[in-house]
Amino acid sequence: NLKQSNITNFFAKS
Amino acid sequence: MLEGKFEESSLMKKVVDAIKDSVKLCNFNCTEHGVTVQAVDDSRVLLISLLIGEASFEEYRCDRNITLGIDLESFNKIIKNGNSSDFLTLIAEDSPDNVLIIFEDKKKDRVSEYSLKLMDLDSDFLQIDDMEFDATITMPSSEFAKITRDLKTLSESLQIIVTKENVKFSSDGDFGTGNVVLKGFVDMDKPDESIKIDMARPINLTFGAKYIADIVKGTSLSESVTIKLADKSPALFEYKLPSGFLRFYLAPKFDE
């Protein structure tokens, strides 16, 4: 089973 | 004050069409260099990054940075009212409550003016550093749109596999499977029809098909689309504008 990852986990808030 | 005039309203129409199903509310950040938007969809899977460069406008001035908080559904209702070939001018004061949207037909015998109320939107800005990608594919945008629509009918996931020789789009659903394999080739007469595959490392990534179906709504913006992929990282889908780009960063699916 595949789980959808979250885009905000890949980029830091600035 | 912002005053931006497009030679044709069609560019803005296409931009709004391309993003309105992914995000509802977003800030249009206007600077002397042009207009940028960064927005994340509600499910926080897809990030949109738009640059409409100053050179995309026939006339452009923005003395001070201005943020336009726009409800895209409302904006779309207004923007659809102009003919594609009309001049489109956007006007806003510094710290504006609304933006003026003016359509003029080329003969100047009809001028339509609308005002759109702006919203005060909170937005987190994400820092997107230059990413390193393992594979880059450039292909006709319409072909990518068709492949996406076709394979989405089988499964809610779409797999992209890149090897040295080719790129394979694949879906595996309850009632069957499907895949489309493309090889790189150069069309000398119509360069936009070419397919270019650059691969440093083989790639095998899976994405939500519905998000890619939203991404291909950018198809009308550009004859070709560039897809950049890296292992265990968001994919970048880019449609180039006359001056600027519409980029979608899509988070992949992983094994649980």
Coordinates of all heavy atoms in Angstrom, one line a residue, chain B residues 70-153:
Chain B
I70 N -6.6 37.0 -3.7 CA -7.6 36.8 -4.7 C -8.3 35.4 -4.5 O -7.7 34.4 -4.2 CB -7.0 36.9 -6.1 CG1 -6.8 38.3 -6.4 CG2 -7.9 36.2 -7.1 CD1 -6.3 38.6 -7.8
D71 N -9.7 35.5 -4.6 CA -10.5 34.3 -4.6 C -10.6 33.9 -6.1 O -11.2 34.6 -6.9 CB -11.9 34.6 -4.1 CG -12.9 33.4 -4.1 OD1 -12.7 32.6 -5.1 OD2 -13.7 33.3 -3.3
L72 N -9.9 32.8 -6.5 CA -9.8 32.5 -7.9 C -11.1 32.2 -8.6 O -11.3 32.4 -9.8 CB -8.8 31.3 -8.0 CG -7.4 31.6 -7.8 CD1 -6.5 30.4 -7.8 CD2 -6.8 32.6 -8.9
E73 N -12.1 31.6 -7.8 CA -13.4 31.3 -8.4 C -14.1 32.6 -8.8 O -14.6 32.7 -9.9 CB -14.2 30.6 -7.3 CG -15.4 29.8 -7.9 CD -16.1 29.1 -6.7 OE1 -15.5 28.3 -6.0 OE2 -17.3 29.4 -6.5
S74 N -14.0 33.7 -7.9 CA -14.6 34.9 -8.3 C -13.8 35.6 -9.4 O -14.4 36.1 -10.4 CB -14.5 35.9 -7.1 OG -15.1 35.2 -5.9
F75 N -12.5 35.6 -9.3 CA -11.6 36.2 -10.4 C -11.9 35.5 -11.7 O -12.0 36.2 -12.8 CB -10.2 36.0 -10.0 CG -9.2 36.7 -10.8 CD1 -9.4 38.0 -11.3 CD2 -8.0 36.1 -11.1 CE1 -8.5 38.7 -12.1 CE2 -7.0 36.8 -11.9 CZ -7.3 38.1 -12.4
N76 N -12.1 34.2 -11.7 CA -12.4 33.5 -12.9 C -13.7 33.9 -13.6 O -13.8 34.0 -14.8 CB -12.4 32.0 -12.7 CG -12.5 31.1 -13.9 OD1 -11.8 31.4 -14.9 ND2 -13.4 30.2 -14.0
K77 N -14.7 34.2 -12.7 CA -16.0 34.6 -13.3 C -15.8 36.0 -14.0 O -16.4 36.2 -15.1 CB -17.0 34.9 -12.1 CG -17.6 33.5 -11.6 CD -18.5 33.8 -10.4 CE -18.9 32.5 -9.8 NZ -19.5 32.6 -8.5
I78 N -15.0 36.8 -13.5 CA -14.8 38.1 -14.2 C -13.9 37.9 -15.4 O -14.2 38.5 -16.5 CB -14.1 39.1 -13.2 CG1 -15.2 39.5 -12.1 CG2 -13.7 40.4 -13.9 CD1 -14.7 40.4 -11.0
I79 N -12.8 37.2 -15.2 CA -11.8 37.1 -16.3 C -12.4 36.4 -17.5 O -12.0 36.7 -18.7 CB -10.5 36.3 -15.8 CG1 -9.3 36.9 -16.4 CG2 -10.6 34.9 -15.9 CD1 -8.7 38.1 -15.8
K80 N -13.4 35.6 -17.3 CA -14.1 34.9 -18.4 C -14.9 35.9 -19.3 O -15.2 35.6 -20.4 CB -15.0 33.8 -17.9 CG -14.3 32.5 -17.6 CD -15.2 31.3 -17.5 CE -16.4 31.5 -16.7 NZ -17.0 30.2 -16.3
N81 N -15.2 37.0 -18.7 CA -16.1 38.0 -19.4 C -15.3 38.7 -20.6 O -16.0 39.3 -21.4 CB -16.6 39.0 -18.4 CG -17.6 38.4 -17.4 OD1 -18.0 37.3 -17.6 ND2 -17.8 39.1 -16.4
G82 N -14.0 38.7 -20.5 CA -13.3 39.3 -21.6 C -13.1 38.4 -22.8 O -13.0 37.2 -22.6
N83 N -13.0 39.0 -24.0 CA -12.6 38.1 -25.1 C -11.1 37.9 -25.1 O -10.4 38.7 -24.6 CB -13.0 38.8 -26.4 CG -14.5 38.9 -26.6 OD1 -15.2 38.0 -26.3 ND2 -14.9 40.1 -27.1
S84 N -10.7 36.7 -25.5 CA -9.3 36.3 -25.4 C -8.4 37.3 -26.1 O -7.3 37.5 -25.6 CB -9.1 34.9 -26.1 OG -9.7 34.0 -25.3
S85 N -8.9 38.0 -27.1 CA -8.0 38.9 -27.9 C -8.0 40.3 -27.3 O -7.3 41.2 -27.7 CB -8.4 39.0 -29.3 OG -9.7 39.4 -29.4
D86 N -8.9 40.6 -26.3 CA -9.0 41.9 -25.7 C -7.7 42.2 -24.9 O -7.0 41.4 -24.4 CB -10.1 42.0 -24.6 CG -11.5 42.0 -25.2 OD1 -11.6 42.1 -26.4 OD2 -12.4 41.9 -24.4
F87 N -7.3 43.5 -24.9 CA -6.3 44.0 -23.9 C -6.9 43.7 -22.6 O -8.1 43.9 -22.3 CB -6.1 45.5 -24.0 CG -5.4 45.9 -25.3 CD1 -6.0 46.7 -26.2 CD2 -4.0 45.6 -25.5 CE1 -5.4 47.2 -27.4 CE2 -3.4 46.0 -26.7 CZ -4.0 46.8 -27.6
L88 N -6.0 43.3 -21.6 CA -6.5 43.2 -20.2 C -5.6 44.0 -19.3 O -4.3 43.9 -19.4 CB -6.4 41.7 -19.8 CG -6.5 41.4 -18.3 CD1 -7.8 41.8 -17.7 CD2 -6.2 40.0 -18.0
T89 N -6.2 44.9 -18.6 CA -5.4 45.7 -17.7 C -5.8 45.5 -16.2 O -7.0 45.5 -15.9 CB -5.5 47.2 -18.0 OG1 -5.2 47.4 -19.4 CG2 -4.5 48.1 -17.2
L90 N -4.8 45.3 -15.3 CA -5.1 45.1 -13.9 C -4.5 46.4 -13.2 O -3.4 46.8 -13.5 CB -4.3 43.9 -13.4 CG -4.7 42.6 -14.0 CD1 -3.8 41.5 -13.4 CD2 -6.1 42.2 -13.9
I91 N -5.4 47.0 -12.4 CA -5.0 48.2 -11.7 C -5.3 48.1 -10.2 O -6.4 47.7 -9.8 CB -5.7 49.5 -12.3 CG1 -5.3 49.7 -13.7 CG2 -5.4 50.7 -11.5 CD1 -6.1 50.8 -14.4
A92 N -4.3 48.4 -9.4 CA -4.5 48.4 -7.9 C -3.7 49.5 -7.3 O -2.6 49.8 -7.7 CB -4.1 47.0 -7.3
E93 N -4.3 50.1 -6.3 CA -3.6 51.1 -5.5 C -2.6 50.4 -4.5 O -2.7 49.2 -4.4 CB -4.6 51.9 -4.6 CG -5.7 52.6 -5.4 CD -5.2 53.7 -6.3 OE1 -4.2 54.3 -6.0 OE2 -5.8 53.9 -7.4
D94 N -1.8 51.2 -3.9 CA -1.0 50.6 -2.8 C -1.9 50.2 -1.7 O -2.9 50.9 -1.4 CB 0.0 51.6 -2.3 CG 1.1 51.9 -3.4 OD1 1.2 51.2 -4.3 OD2 1.7 53.0 -3.2
S95 N -1.7 49.1 -1.0 CA -2.6 48.6 0.0 C -4.1 48.6 -0.4 O -4.9 49.2 0.1 CB -2.6 49.4 1.3 OG -1.2 49.6 1.7
P96 N -4.4 47.8 -1.5 CA -5.7 47.9 -2.1 C -6.8 47.1 -1.4 O -6.5 46.1 -0.8 CB -5.5 47.4 -3.5 CG -4.4 46.4 -3.3 CD -3.5 46.9 -2.2
D97 N -8.0 47.5 -1.5 CA -9.2 46.7 -1.1 C -9.8 46.0 -2.3 O -10.5 45.0 -2.1 CB -10.3 47.6 -0.5 CG -9.8 48.3 0.8 OD1 -9.1 47.6 1.6 OD2 -10.1 49.5 0.9
N98 N -9.5 46.5 -3.5 CA -10.0 45.8 -4.7 C -9.0 46.0 -5.8 O -8.1 46.9 -5.8 CB -11.4 46.3 -5.0 CG -11.5 47.8 -5.1 OD1 -10.8 48.4 -5.9 ND2 -12.3 48.4 -4.2
V99 N -9.2 45.2 -6.9 CA -8.4 45.3 -8.1 C -9.3 45.6 -9.2 O -10.4 45.0 -9.3 CB -7.5 44.1 -8.3 CG1 -8.3 42.8 -8.4 CG2 -6.6 44.2 -9.6
L100 N -8.9 46.5 -10.1 CA -9.7 46.8 -11.3 C -9.3 46.0 -12.4 O -8.1 45.8 -12.6 CB -9.6 48.3 -11.7 CG -10.3 49.4 -10.9 CD1 -10.0 50.7 -11.6 CD2 -11.8 49.1 -11.0
I101 N -10.2 45.4 -13.1 CA -9.9 44.5 -14.3 C -10.6 45.1 -15.5 O -11.8 45.2 -15.5 CB -10.5 43.1 -14.0 CG1 -9.8 42.6 -12.7 CG2 -10.3 42.2 -15.1 CD1 -10.6 41.5 -12.0
I102 N -9.8 45.6 -16.4 CA -10.4 46.3 -17.6 C -10.1 45.6 -18.9 O -8.9 45.2 -19.1 CB -9.8 47.7 -17.6 CG1 -10.1 48.5 -16.3 CG2 -10.3 48.5 -18.8 CD1 -9.3 49.7 -16.1
F103 N -11.1 45.3 -19.6 CA -11.0 44.7 -20.9 C -11.2 45.8 -22.0 O -12.2 46.5 -21.9 CB -12.0 43.5 -21.1 CG -11.9 42.5 -20.1 CD1 -12.8 42.4 -19.1 CD2 -10.9 41.5 -20.2 CE1 -12.7 41.4 -18.1 CE2 -10.8 40.5 -19.3 CZ -11.8 40.4 -18.2
E104 N -10.4 45.8 -23.0 CA -10.6 46.7 -24.1 C -10.5 45.9 -25.4 O -9.5 45.2 -25.6 CB -9.5 47.8 -24.2 CG -9.5 48.8 -23.1 CD -8.2 49.6 -23.2 OE1 -8.1 50.4 -24.1 OE2 -7.4 49.4 -22.3
D105 N -11.4 46.0 -26.3 CA -11.2 45.3 -27.5 C -10.2 46.2 -28.4 O -10.0 47.3 -28.1 CB -12.5 45.0 -28.3 CG -13.2 46.2 -28.9 OD1 -12.8 47.3 -28.5 OD2 -14.0 46.0 -29.8
K106 N -9.7 45.5 -29.4 CA -8.5 46.1 -30.1 C -8.9 47.4 -30.8 O -8.1 48.3 -31.1 CB -7.8 45.1 -31.0 CG -7.2 44.0 -30.2 CD -5.8 44.2 -29.9 CE -5.2 43.6 -28.6 NZ -5.2 42.2 -28.5
K107 N -10.2 47.5 -31.2 CA -10.7 48.6 -31.9 C -11.0 49.8 -30.9 O -11.3 50.9 -31.4 CB -12.0 48.3 -32.7 CG -11.7 47.4 -33.9 CD -13.1 47.1 -34.6 CE -13.1 45.8 -35.2 NZ -14.4 45.2 -35.2
K108 N -11.0 49.5 -29.6 CA -11.2 50.5 -28.6 C -12.6 51.0 -28.6 O -12.8 52.1 -28.1 CB -10.2 51.6 -28.7 CG -8.8 51.2 -28.7 CD -8.2 51.5 -27.3 CE -6.7 51.1 -27.3 NZ -5.9 52.0 -26.7
D109 N -13.6 50.3 -29.2 CA -14.9 50.8 -29.2 C -15.7 50.2 -28.1 O -16.9 50.4 -27.9 CB -15.6 50.7 -30.5 CG -15.6 49.3 -31.1 OD1 -15.1 48.4 -30.4 OD2 -16.0 49.1 -32.2
R110 N -15.1 49.3 -27.3 CA -15.7 48.7 -26.1 C -14.7 48.6 -25.0 O -13.7 48.0 -25.2 CB -16.3 47.4 -26.5 CG -17.3 46.8 -25.4 CD -17.6 45.4 -25.5 NE -16.4 44.6 -25.4 CZ -15.9 43.9 -26.4 NH1 -16.5 43.8 -27.6 NH2 -14.8 43.2 -26.2
V111 N -15.1 49.2 -23.9 CA -14.3 49.0 -22.7 C -15.1 48.4 -21.6 O -16.2 49.0 -21.3 CB -13.7 50.4 -22.2 CG1 -12.9 50.2 -21.0 CG2 -12.8 51.0 -23.3
S112 N -14.7 47.3 -21.0 CA -15.5 46.7 -19.9 C -14.6 46.8 -18.6 O -13.5 46.5 -18.6 CB -15.8 45.3 -20.1 OG -16.1 45.1 -21.5
E113 N -15.2 47.3 -17.6 CA -14.5 47.5 -16.3 C -15.1 46.7 -15.2 O -16.3 46.9 -15.0 CB -14.4 49.0 -16.0 CG -13.5 49.3 -14.8 CD -13.3 50.8 -14.6 OE1 -13.0 51.5 -15.5 OE2 -13.6 51.2 -13.4
Y114 N -14.4 45.9 -14.5 CA -14.9 45.2 -13.3 C -14.0 45.5 -12.1 O -12.8 45.9 -12.3 CB -14.8 43.7 -13.6 CG -15.7 43.2 -14.7 CD1 -15.3 43.3 -16.0 CD2 -17.0 42.8 -14.4 CE1 -16.1 42.9 -17.1 CE2 -17.9 42.4 -15.5 CZ -17.4 42.4 -16.8 OH -18.3 42.0 -17.8
S115 N -14.6 45.4 -11.0 CA -13.8 45.5 -9.7 C -13.9 44.2 -8.9 O -15.1 43.7 -8.8 CB -14.3 46.7 -9.0 OG -13.8 46.7 -7.7
L116 N -12.8 43.7 -8.5 CA -12.9 42.5 -7.6 C -12.4 42.8 -6.2 O -11.4 43.4 -6.0 CB -12.0 41.4 -8.3 CG -11.8 40.1 -7.4 CD1 -13.1 39.3 -7.4 CD2 -10.7 39.3 -8.0
K117 N -13.3 42.4 -5.3 CA -12.9 42.6 -3.9 C -11.7 41.7 -3.5 O -11.7 40.5 -3.9 CB -14.1 42.3 -2.9 CG -15.1 43.4 -2.9 CD -16.2 43.1 -1.9 CE -17.4 44.0 -2.2 NZ -18.6 43.4 -1.6
L118 N -10.8 42.3 -2.8 CA -9.6 41.5 -2.4 C -9.8 41.0 -1.0 O -10.6 41.5 -0.2 CB -8.3 42.3 -2.5 CG -8.0 42.8 -3.9 CD1 -6.9 43.8 -3.9 CD2 -7.7 41.6 -4.8
M119 N -9.0 39.9 -0.6 CA -9.1 39.3 0.7 C -7.8 39.4 1.4 O -6.7 39.5 0.7 CB -9.5 37.8 0.5 CG -10.8 37.7 -0.3 SD -11.1 36.0 -0.7 CE -11.8 35.5 0.9
D120 N -7.8 39.4 2.7 CA -6.6 39.4 3.5 C -6.3 37.9 3.8 O -6.9 37.3 4.6 CB -6.9 40.2 4.8 CG -5.6 40.6 5.4 OD1 -4.5 40.4 4.8 OD2 -5.6 41.1 6.6
L121 N -5.3 37.4 3.1 CA -5.0 36.0 3.2 C -3.7 35.7 3.9 O -2.7 36.4 3.6 CB -4.9 35.3 1.8 CG -6.1 35.5 0.9 CD1 -5.8 34.9 -0.5 CD2 -7.3 34.8 1.4
D122 N -3.8 34.8 4.9 CA -2.5 34.4 5.5 C -1.9 33.4 4.6 O -2.5 32.6 3.9 CB -2.8 33.6 6.8 CG -3.3 34.5 7.9 OD1 -2.9 35.7 7.8 OD2 -4.0 34.1 8.8
S123 N -0.6 33.5 4.4 CA 0.1 32.4 3.7 C 1.5 32.2 4.1 O 2.2 33.1 4.4 CB 0.1 32.7 2.2 OG 0.9 33.8 1.9
D124 N 1.8 30.9 4.3 CA 3.2 30.5 4.7 C 3.9 30.4 3.4 O 3.5 29.8 2.4 CB 3.2 29.1 5.3 CG 2.5 29.1 6.6 OD1 2.5 30.1 7.3 OD2 1.9 28.1 7.0
F125 N 5.1 31.1 3.4 CA 5.9 31.0 2.2 C 6.9 29.9 2.3 O 7.6 29.8 3.3 CB 6.6 32.3 1.9 CG 7.2 32.4 0.5 CD1 6.4 32.7 -0.6 CD2 8.5 32.1 0.3 CE1 6.9 32.8 -1.9 CE2 9.0 32.1 -1.0 CZ 8.2 32.5 -2.1
L126 N 7.0 28.9 1.4 CA 7.9 27.8 1.5 C 9.2 28.2 0.7 O 9.1 28.7 -0.4 CB 7.3 26.5 1.0 CG 6.1 26.0 1.8 CD1 5.4 24.8 1.1 CD2 6.5 25.7 3.2
Q127 N 10.3 27.8 1.2 CA 11.5 28.1 0.6 C 11.9 26.9 -0.4 O 12.1 25.8 0.1 CB 12.7 28.2 1.6 CG 14.0 28.8 1.1 CD 13.8 30.2 0.5 OE1 13.2 31.0 1.1 NE2 14.4 30.4 -0.6
I128 N 11.9 27.2 -1.6 CA 12.2 26.1 -2.6 C 13.6 26.4 -3.1 O 13.8 27.3 -3.9 CB 11.2 26.1 -3.8 CG1 9.8 25.9 -3.2 CG2 11.5 25.0 -4.8 CD1 8.7 26.2 -4.2
D129 N 14.6 25.7 -2.6 CA 15.9 25.8 -3.0 C 16.1 25.1 -4.4 O 15.3 24.3 -4.8 CB 16.9 25.3 -2.0 CG 16.8 26.0 -0.7 OD1 16.6 27.2 -0.7 OD2 16.8 25.3 0.4
D130 N 17.2 25.4 -5.0 CA 17.4 24.7 -6.3 C 17.6 23.2 -6.0 O 18.4 22.8 -5.2 CB 18.7 25.2 -6.9 CG 18.5 26.5 -7.7 OD1 17.3 26.8 -8.0 OD2 19.5 27.2 -7.9
M131 N 16.7 22.4 -6.6 CA 16.7 21.0 -6.3 C 17.6 20.3 -7.3 O 17.8 20.7 -8.4 CB 15.3 20.4 -6.4 CG 14.4 21.0 -5.3 SD 12.6 20.6 -5.6 CE 12.6 18.9 -5.5
E132 N 18.1 19.1 -6.9 CA 18.9 18.3 -7.8 C 18.0 17.2 -8.3 O 17.4 16.5 -7.5 CB 20.1 17.7 -7.0 CG 21.0 18.7 -6.5 CD 22.5 18.4 -6.9 OE1 22.8 17.3 -7.3 OE2 23.3 19.4 -6.8
F133 N 17.9 17.1 -9.6 CA 17.0 16.1 -10.1 C 17.8 14.9 -10.8 O 18.9 15.2 -11.3 CB 16.1 16.7 -11.1 CG 15.1 17.6 -10.5 CD1 15.3 19.0 -10.5 CD2 14.0 17.1 -9.8 CE1 14.4 19.9 -9.9 CE2 13.1 18.0 -9.2 CZ 13.3 19.4 -9.2
D134 N 17.3 13.7 -10.8 CA 17.9 12.6 -11.4 C 17.5 12.4 -12.8 O 18.2 11.7 -13.6 CB 17.6 11.3 -10.6 CG 18.1 11.4 -9.1 OD1 19.2 11.9 -9.0 OD2 17.4 10.9 -8.2
A135 N 16.4 12.9 -13.2 CA 15.9 12.7 -14.5 C 15.0 13.9 -15.0 O 14.3 14.4 -14.2 CB 15.1 11.4 -14.6
T136 N 15.2 14.3 -16.2 CA 14.4 15.4 -16.8 C 13.8 14.9 -18.1 O 14.5 14.4 -19.0 CB 15.3 16.6 -17.0 OG1 15.8 17.0 -15.7 CG2 14.5 17.8 -17.6
I137 N 12.5 15.1 -18.2 CA 11.8 14.8 -19.5 C 11.1 16.0 -20.0 O 10.4 16.7 -19.3 CB 10.7 13.7 -19.2 CG1 11.3 12.5 -18.5 CG2 10.0 13.3 -20.5 CD1 10.4 11.8 -17.6
T138 N 11.4 16.3 -21.3 CA 10.6 17.4 -21.9 C 9.8 16.7 -23.1 O 10.4 16.0 -23.9 CB 11.6 18.5 -22.5 OG1 12.3 19.0 -21.4 CG2 10.8 19.6 -23.1
M139 N 8.5 17.0 -23.1 CA 7.7 16.4 -24.1 C 6.5 17.3 -24.4 O 6.3 18.3 -23.7 CB 7.1 15.0 -23.5 CG 6.3 15.2 -22.3 SD 5.8 13.6 -21.6 CE 4.6 13.1 -22.8
P140 N 5.8 17.0 -25.5 CA 4.6 17.8 -25.9 C 3.6 17.8 -24.7 O 3.3 16.7 -24.2 CB 4.1 17.2 -27.1 CG 5.2 16.4 -27.7 CD 6.0 16.0 -26.5
S141 N 3.1 19.0 -24.3 CA 2.2 19.1 -23.2 C 0.9 18.3 -23.5 O 0.3 17.7 -22.6 CB 2.0 20.5 -22.8 OG 1.5 21.2 -23.9
S142 N 0.5 18.4 -24.7 CA -0.8 17.7 -25.0 C -0.7 16.2 -24.9 O -1.6 15.5 -24.5 CB -1.3 18.1 -26.4 OG -0.3 17.8 -27.4
E143 N 0.5 15.7 -25.3 CA 0.7 14.3 -25.2 C 0.7 13.8 -23.7 O 0.1 12.8 -23.3 CB 2.0 13.9 -25.8 CG 2.2 12.4 -26.0 CD 3.2 12.0 -27.0 OE1 3.8 12.9 -27.7 OE2 3.5 10.8 -27.2
F144 N 1.3 14.6 -22.9 CA 1.4 14.3 -21.4 C 0.0 14.4 -20.8 O -0.4 13.5 -20.0 CB 2.3 15.3 -20.7 CG 2.4 15.1 -19.2 CD1 2.7 13.8 -18.7 CD2 2.1 16.1 -18.4 CE1 2.8 13.6 -17.3 CE2 2.2 15.9 -17.0 CZ 2.5 14.6 -16.5
A145 N -0.8 15.3 -21.3 CA -2.2 15.5 -20.8 C -3.0 14.2 -21.2 O -3.8 13.7 -20.4 CB -2.9 16.7 -21.4
K146 N -2.9 13.8 -22.4 CA -3.6 12.6 -22.9 C -3.2 11.3 -22.1 O -4.1 10.6 -21.7 CB -3.4 12.4 -24.4 CG -4.0 11.1 -24.9 CD -4.1 10.9 -26.4 CE -4.5 9.5 -26.8 NZ -5.7 9.0 -26.2
I147 N -1.9 11.2 -21.9 CA -1.4 10.0 -21.2 C -2.0 10.0 -19.8 O -2.5 9.0 -19.2 CB 0.1 10.0 -21.1 CG1 0.7 9.7 -22.5 CG2 0.6 8.9 -20.1 CD1 2.2 9.9 -22.6
T148 N -2.0 11.2 -19.1 CA -2.6 11.3 -17.8 C -4.0 11.0 -17.7 O -4.5 10.2 -16.9 CB -2.4 12.8 -17.3 OG1 -1.0 13.0 -17.3 CG2 -2.9 13.0 -15.9
R149 N -4.8 11.5 -18.7 CA -6.3 11.3 -18.7 C -6.5 9.8 -18.9 O -7.4 9.2 -18.3 CB -6.9 12.2 -19.7 CG -7.1 13.6 -19.4 CD -8.0 14.3 -20.3 NE -7.6 14.3 -21.7 CZ -6.9 15.2 -22.3 NH1 -6.6 16.3 -21.6 NH2 -6.5 15.1 -23.5
D150 N -5.8 9.2 -19.9 CA -6.0 7.8 -20.2 C -5.7 6.9 -19.1 O -6.5 6.0 -18.7 CB -5.1 7.4 -21.4 CG -5.6 8.1 -22.7 OD1 -6.6 8.8 -22.7 OD2 -4.8 8.0 -23.7
L151 N -4.6 7.1 -18.4 CA -4.2 6.1 -17.4 C -5.0 6.4 -16.1 O -5.1 5.4 -15.3 CB -2.7 6.2 -17.1 CG -1.8 5.8 -18.3 CD1 -0.3 5.9 -18.0 CD2 -2.1 4.3 -18.7
K152 N -5.5 7.6 -15.9 CA -6.2 7.9 -14.7 C -7.5 7.1 -14.7 O -8.1 6.9 -13.6 CB -6.5 9.4 -14.7 CG -7.2 9.9 -13.4 CD -7.4 11.4 -13.4 CE -8.2 11.9 -12.3 NZ -9.7 11.8 -12.5
T153 N -8.0 6.7 -15.8 CA -9.3 5.9 -15.9 C -9.1 4.5 -15.2 O -10.1 3.8 -14.9 CB -9.8 5.7 -17.3 OG1 -8.8 5.0 -18.1 CG2 -10.1 7.1 -18.0

